[in-house]
Amino acid sequence: MFRDAALVAGKDLRVEFRSRVATNQVAPYALLVLIVFAFALDPDRGFLTKAAPGLFWVAVVFSALLAIQRSFTIEAADGGRDALRLSGLDPSGIFIGKAGAVAVQLALLEVVLGLGVVVLYNAPLGGAVLLATTCVLATVGLAAAGTVFGVLVGGLRVRDTLLPLLLLPVLAPLVLGATRATEYALAGTPADGWLWVQLVGAFAAVYTAFGIVAFGPLLEES
Amino acid sequence: MTAAVRFRSAVSLLGRFPALAGVDLDVARGEVVLIQGPNGAGKTTLLRACAGLVAIASGEAEVLGHDLRRDRRAVRRRVGLLGHTGSLYDDLTVADNLLFAARAMGADRRVAEDAMVRLGLDGRLRDVPVAKLSAGQRRRASVATLLARRAELWLLDEPHAGLDADGRDLLDALVRERVADGNTVLLASHEVERARTLAHRVVAMAGGQVHVQPANVVGREPLGVS
C-alpha cells in the first residue's frame, strides 16, 4: 500500500512540478485572497490582525479546493481515471498518495500564506508547537477530506462546481478548530488551544480512515 | 488451460440501457479475435468489460481465469486496454508516463526503456511532455504503455487510428509478437482489411450481442486479406 502511495504521490507532484500550476496559479491566488481581505478590512487594521487566523484558514481552504480539483482533473483528462483503475495499484495506496501530494502542496502554500499574514496583517508569531501541530493536522484533514470528495465527484461533468458545494460545509469543523487553535497560538496562550487541536486531529483521523476504506468503491462507482 | 475470455449470457448496463445484452463469447489463449459491428453494437463496452472497467450485471464472465464479477482487480493487473483515449498524463514526459505504468505493475525502469525503444519513442521524444506530441506519437506512447504493463491480454479499440503507415506496421508486428509469445488479443476495428490480416477469427456484434462466433481456431494462420 505504501509503495503504491509513494508512486502515486510522486506522479502527482511531478505533474505539478512540470505544469507549474501550483506555483503559477494556486499560490498567487491564495495571496490574492489575503490581499483582497486586507483591502476589505483595511480601515480597521486592529480587526485585520485579530481576524488573521480565520482569514489564513479561509485562504488555505480556497486554495485547497483548487489543488484538489487539479488533482482529479489530471485523472479525468485523456482517460486517466480508467488508467488509474487499470493500474493495478491498491486503492488505499492511491488515496494516500493523492492526499499526500495535496498535503505537500498545501503545506508549502501555508508557509507562503503564513508569511503573507505576518506581513500584510501584522499578525504576531507565537505558540510555535501549537501552530505547527494545528497546521500539520489541518493539512492532513483538508487533504484527506478533499481527496474523498474529489474522487466522489471526479467522474462527473459538474465536478468543478459540485466539489466546493459538497466540501465546504464538511470542512466547517476543521476550519473552526484550526482557526481557534491558531488564535490561541498567536495570542500567546497555547494551553487553551489544544482542545481545538483535538477536534482538528479527530477530523483528520476520521477522514483519513474513511478514505483508506472507501476510496476504492468510490473510484469504482463514481 | 483456461480460456482467455469466457462470457455466458453476460449483461452490462449503462444506466438502464443494456450495452451488453447477453453476450456469449469464447476466446482461447494465443488467439487474435476481431470484433466487428456497426457503431453502437457494443464493441467498446465488450472490451471495457473484459478489462474490468464495466460491471457485469448478470451472467458469467471470466477473463484469464478470474471471475469478472468478483475479482476485477486481478483481471486489471493482467490486461492492457488501448481505448479511444490515450490514458496518458499530458504534463508528464513520455518517459515519466511509461515509468509510472511500468512501476505500477512492479516492473523496473528497463521495461519502460525497452517499450520506448520498441515504439521509437527513445531519443529526443522520451523527455517531451505528452501534451506536445502529435496525435500519432501520442498513440505510439499509449501502445508503449501496453508493453510497459506486460499485459497478457491486449484489448485494442480502433488501434490503428491516428497512426501513420510505419506506426500501423509496427503495431501489427507487436500484435504478432505478443501472440507468438502466447498472449491474447481482442481488437475492434473499422479497418477490417488490415485487422483481418492479424485476426484468427472474426466475431460479429450487433445490439449488444455476439451474433456470429465461429469455433476457436488457435494455431491457424490469420485470416488474411479477403
Side-chain angles (χ1 to χ4, degrees):
Chain A
M1 179 169 79
F2 290 108
R3 185 198 75 90
D4 293 351
L7 192 64
V8 172
K11 183 263 293 175
D12 278 12
L13 290 172
R14 193 170 289 115
V15 167
E16 291 311 321
F17 177 75
R18 294 207 194 281
S19 68
R20 307 215 181 275
V21 169
T23 51
N24 293 353
Q25 293 176 31
V26 179
Y29 168 78
L31 283 172
L32 274 176
V33 171
L34 283 189
I35 292 167
V36 167
F37 278 132
F39 278 126
L41 302 174
D42 191 36
D44 188 349
R45 285 188 68 88
F47 179 72
L48 196 59
T49 305
K50 195 177 171 189
L55 299 182
F56 170 81
W57 284 111
V58 167
V60 170
V61 166
F62 283 172
S63 307
L65 288 174
L66 293 184
I68 293 157
Q69 278 176 341
R70 170 87 184 139
S71 176
F72 287 93
T73 297
I74 61 173
E75 302 299 349
D78 200 32
R81 202 174 168 88
D82 280 348
L84 205 58
R85 292 198 286 170
L86 279 173
S87 68
L89 295 169
D90 182 351
S92 302
I94 298 174
F95 168 77
I96 295 171
K98 292 199 82 64
V102 170
V104 168
Q105 293 173 65
L106 288 182
L108 294 174
L109 193 70
E110 285 165 22
V111 172
V112 175
L113 285 175
L115 292 172
V117 164
V118 170
V119 173
L120 292 171
Y121 297 175
N122 200 27
L125 276 177
V129 175
L130 177 63
L131 203 56
T133 309
T134 303
C135 284
V136 168
L137 292 177
T139 301
V140 171
L142 266 174
T147 303
V148 167
F149 282 88
V151 71
L152 186 68
V153 302
L156 304 175
R157 282 183 293 112
V158 293
R159 60 181 171 273
D160 290 343
T161 45
L162 190 57
L163 180 66
L165 203 61
L166 293 177
L167 189 54
L168 284 175
V170 168
L171 293 177
L174 181 137
V175 174
L176 176 68
T179 300
R180 291 289 174 270
T182 306
E183 279 176 0
Y184 285 116
L186 298 186
T189 55
D192 299 327
W194 288 104
L195 192 64
W196 292 105
V197 170
Q198 289 176 30
L199 173 65
V200 176
F203 183 97
V206 165
Y207 273 97
T208 301
F210 181 71
I212 287 172
V213 174
F215 190 86
L218 289 175
L219 183 64
E220 290 298 327
E221 302 302 332
S222 59
Chain B
M1 182 184 282
T2 55
V5 176
R6 182 179 168 278
F7 278 36
R8 290 288 178 274
S9 307
V11 173
S12 278
L13 302 173
L14 295 181
R16 290 183 175 180
F17 174 72
L20 297 183
V23 167
D24 292 305
L25 178 67
D26 289 286
V27 178
R29 293 189 191 230
E31 216 182 0
V32 181
V33 173
L34 169 63
I35 305 163
Q36 270 189 275
N39 291 334
K43 304 185 296 294
T44 295
T45 304
L46 177 59
L47 292 177
R48 287 174 60 77
C50 288
L53 291 173
V54 173
I56 302 296
S58 65
E60 298 174 24
E62 286 181 11
V63 171
L64 299 170
H66 300 284
D67 187 338
L68 266 177
R69 300 183 71 180
R70 281 185 293 205
D71 202 4
R72 282 199 278 179
R73 201 171 151 218
V75 171
R76 289 172 182 174
R77 289 194 69 85
R78 298 175 65 186
V79 305
L81 173 66
L82 182 66
H84 295 167
T85 56
S87 298
L88 300 165
Y89 296 101
D90 276 357
D91 293 312
L92 295 183
T93 64
V94 172
D96 287 338
N97 269 288
L98 293 180
L99 205 53
F100 178 71
R103 285 192 169 151
M105 300 305 294
D108 60 17
R109 174 178 287 273
R110 198 177 58 238
V111 174
E113 297 286 350
D114 288 347
M116 276 186 282
V117 172
R118 197 70 180 84
L119 269 297
L121 295 166
D122 52 334
R124 68 177 182 85
L125 287 179
R126 58 167 285 141
D127 295 321
V128 173
V130 165
K132 294 188 177 174
L133 297 179
S134 70
Q137 290 166 336
R138 286 179 74 101
R139 199 63 170 167
R140 281 182 184 236
S142 297
V143 175
T145 60
L146 297 183
L147 287 180
R149 288 175 55 84
R150 298 184 297 188
E152 296 167 54
L153 171 62
W154 278 19
L155 305 162
L156 310 178
D157 199 355
E158 300 295 343
H160 299 102
L163 289 172
D164 58 16
D166 286 347
R168 291 168 180 222
D169 290 344
L170 181 56
L171 176 64
D172 291 353
L174 285 172
V175 167
R176 291 188 181 100
E177 279 177 28
R178 299 300 294 174
V179 173
D181 289 342
N183 298 293
T184 310
V185 177
L186 250 72
L187 75 155
S189 177
H190 289 297
E191 295 192 39
V192 177
E193 293 304 311
R194 177 174 277 274
R196 282 176 67 95
T197 65
L198 295 170
H200 297 111
R201 193 156 60 95
V202 178
V203 299
M205 280 194 81
Q209 292 181 318
V210 171
H211 284 288
V212 180
Q213 188 191 177
N216 293 358
V217 284
V218 180
R220 203 178 85 178
E221 289 297 306
L223 295 168
V225 179
S226 58

